[in-house]
């Protein structure tokens, strides 16, 4: 159950109620918000006088649910807003990994020329082999910060584990929590303490309920700026890397109040169909698209098979605009 206290309720009073109802508690700028376990369906009578409004909830998808907020939350990525009434579909693009100053600068030059405002690049890569490239770490984050300073991008970069979460929070504008890291409570709780935007990628074996509940860890710590990203789940199929769960996207749009971004690159895993898939994603009326693009994918240090060449991405962007317009959206 979600409880809004009256605005006059003191911190001490609010915390007393939180303790006795085993609630998460934060202040949203106007009042204290308490989130009890969802099995509680009524406000205990001794606290009735201090409650402004309460929402009994079916399950632990609470702050992120449409039963709490009917409108999609508005979330900022740099100067661009997504969700709310914006009808924006923000394209976030860039290489899988930051590899060198030359590579990230070439990427930045392309994105700037094409009007892309959100540059992605991983510096802590969650690889499936310890012998693969693991990312440039802090050096990569510093390169991304330089690109932001020079070109004005917002930077999207991922956290692999809690050891470097503070560095990513410091350098990135959007903290990406990877598919393999979305259950890491150290990361989720650190992201709850900042007001920076957090993009949570769905694990490839994660149910929609678990995915939505990962967002609750961030929301219930007082950070309302959360975006969900579908990037493919594991099915029986082996010809494609994963299976992009568009049914799941329909569910997220119906039942959660969080902006939804789609990542066709990791879902398909191969360059040949990324453009078709990206158009299908945008046709669903989504809030954002995450695409991997590399100046020379043949020599990319991670995800070489799926990253688009620069000319392919330029062409895709042209094709996405009318698709977005057809569903009442604007590519940003
Ligand atoms: C990535 O975005 O490069 C990445 C590693 O994605 P995921 O966490 O979805 O595998
Ligand atoms: Mn990648």
């Amino acid at each position: 159950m979600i409880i809004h206290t009256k605005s006059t309720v003191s911190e001490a009073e609010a915390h007393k109620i939180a303790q006795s109802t085993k609630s998460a508690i934060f202040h949203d700028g106007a009042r204290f918000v308490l989130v009890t376990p969802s099995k509680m369906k009524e406000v205990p009578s001794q606290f009735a006088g201090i409650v402004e409004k309460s929402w009994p909830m079916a399950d632990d998808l609470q702050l992120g649910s449409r039963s709490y907020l009917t409108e999609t939350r508005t979330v900022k990525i740099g100067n661009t807003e997504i969700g709310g009434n914006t009808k924006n579909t923000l394209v976030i693009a860039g290489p899988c990994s930051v590899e060198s100053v030359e590579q990230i600068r070439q990427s930045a030059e392309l994105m700037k020329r094409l009007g892309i405002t959100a540059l992605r690049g991983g510096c802590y890569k969650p690889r499936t082999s310890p012998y693969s490239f693991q990312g440039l770490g802090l050096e990569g984050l510093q390169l991304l910060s330089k690109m932001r300073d020079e070109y004005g991008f917002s930077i999207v970069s991922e956290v692999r584990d809690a050891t470097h979460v503070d560095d990513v929070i410091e350098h990135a504008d959007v903290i990406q929590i990877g598919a393999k890291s979305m259950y890491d409570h150290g990361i989720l709780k650190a992201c709850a303490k900042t007001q920076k935007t957090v993009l949570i990628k769905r694990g490839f074996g994660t149910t929609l309920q678990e995915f939505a509940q990962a967002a609750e860890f961030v929301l219930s710590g007082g950070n309302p700026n959360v975006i969900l990203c579908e990037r493919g789940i594991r099915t029986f199929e082996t010809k494609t890397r994963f299976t992009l769960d568009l049914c799941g996207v329909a569910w997220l749009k119906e039942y959660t109040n969080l902006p939804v971004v789609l990542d066709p690159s990791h879902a398909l895993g191969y360059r040949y169909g990324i453009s078709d898939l990206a158009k299908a994603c945008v046709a669903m009326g989504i809030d954002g698209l995450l695409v991997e693009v590399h100046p020379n994918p043949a020599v990319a240090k991670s995800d070489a098979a799926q990253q688009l060449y620069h000319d392919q991405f330029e062409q895709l962007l042209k094709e996405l605009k009318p698709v977005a317009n057809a569903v009442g959206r604007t590519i940003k």
Side-chain angles (χ1 to χ4, degrees), residues 24 56 62 86 88 101 115 126 158 182-183 222 226 231 237 245 248 262:
Q62 301 206 57
T86 68
N88 288 337
V101 63
E158 76 199 89
M182 56 147 279
Y183 292 102
V226 179
R231 47 74 76 206
E237 188 52 72
D245 183 13
L262 265 72

Side-chain angles (χ1 to χ4, degrees), residues 26 73-75 192 194-195 218-219 222-227 258-259:
F26 62 95
R73 290 168 187 262
T74 306
V75 174
T194 168
Q195 291 294 296
V218 180
L219 297 168
N223 183 354
N225 304 306
V226 179
I227 299 169
L258 301 169

Side-chain angles (χ1 to χ4, degrees), residues 161-183:
D161 61 67
T163 60
H164 53 261
V165 61
D166 293 331
D167 288 336
V168 178
I169 291 172
E170 186 187 332
H171 286 88
D173 301 287
V174 177
I175 302 126
Q176 175 178 320
I177 305 180
K180 298 189 192 97
S181 309
M182 56 147 279
Y183 292 102

Side-chain angles (χ1 to χ4, degrees), residues 206-223:
T206 299
T207 65
L208 294 164
Q209 183 71 27
E210 288 168 345
F211 186 28
Q213 283 179 200
E216 294 288 322
F217 278 93
V218 180
L219 297 168
S220 66
N223 183 354

Side-chain angles (χ1 to χ4, degrees), residues 64-131:
S65 81
R66 289 240 189 251
S67 356
Y68 174 52
L69 297 177
T70 50
E71 297 285 301
T72 303
R73 290 168 187 262
T74 306
V75 174
K76 270 190 153 186
I77 298 183
N79 294 326
T80 307
E81 290 186 332
I82 60 170
N85 302 319
T86 68
K87 300 284 180 198
N88 288 337
T89 299
L90 178 74
V91 177
I92 303 165
C96 177
S97 301
V98 178
E99 299 173 5
S100 67
V101 63
E102 295 78 19
Q103 175 247 20
I104 200 64
R105 188 174 289 289
Q106 279 177 283
S107 303
E109 294 275 348
L110 175 77
M111 297 312 159
K112 186 72 190 174
R113 181 166 69 75
L114 299 180
I116 297 294
T117 58
L119 176 70
R120 65 147 285 151
C123 303
Y124 300 90
K125 299 306 297 180
R127 306 308 298 279
T128 44
S129 164
Y131 313 119

